[in-house]
Amino acid sequence: MAAHARRVSVAVNIGGVKVGGNHPIVVQSMTNTDTADVASTVNQVMALAQAGSELVRVTVNTDEAARGGAEDL
């Protein structure tokens, strides 16, 4: 199977992980927890990171999820 040329993209730095440009492809995952449930979301992020995900994305789509954990800061 022939390799395809990568398209040109702008490099960005996300928490020390470089994405795009000529940087290597990184493994990305996304949580599927209710982000208002902070403990479950943190546990899932940690499990994904331990499984090799270099970036873990979290959707914060409600006011409750946005407030989640704020009292712990």
Side-chain angles (χ1 to χ4, degrees), residues 1-12:
M1 179 185 316
H4 294 281
R6 291 175 64 178
R7 65 181 175 88
V8 177
S9 63
V10 176
V12 295

Side-chain angles (χ1 to χ4, degrees), residues 29-62:
S29 299
M30 186 164 184
T31 61
N32 62 3
T33 58
D34 175 0
T35 51
D37 181 351
V38 176
S40 292
T41 300
V42 168
N43 287 338
Q44 190 173 62
V45 167
M46 297 299 291
L48 290 166
Q50 289 175 342
S53 186
E54 297 171 83
L55 287 176
V56 178
R57 296 172 287 150
V58 177
T59 300
V60 181
N61 57 355
T62 65

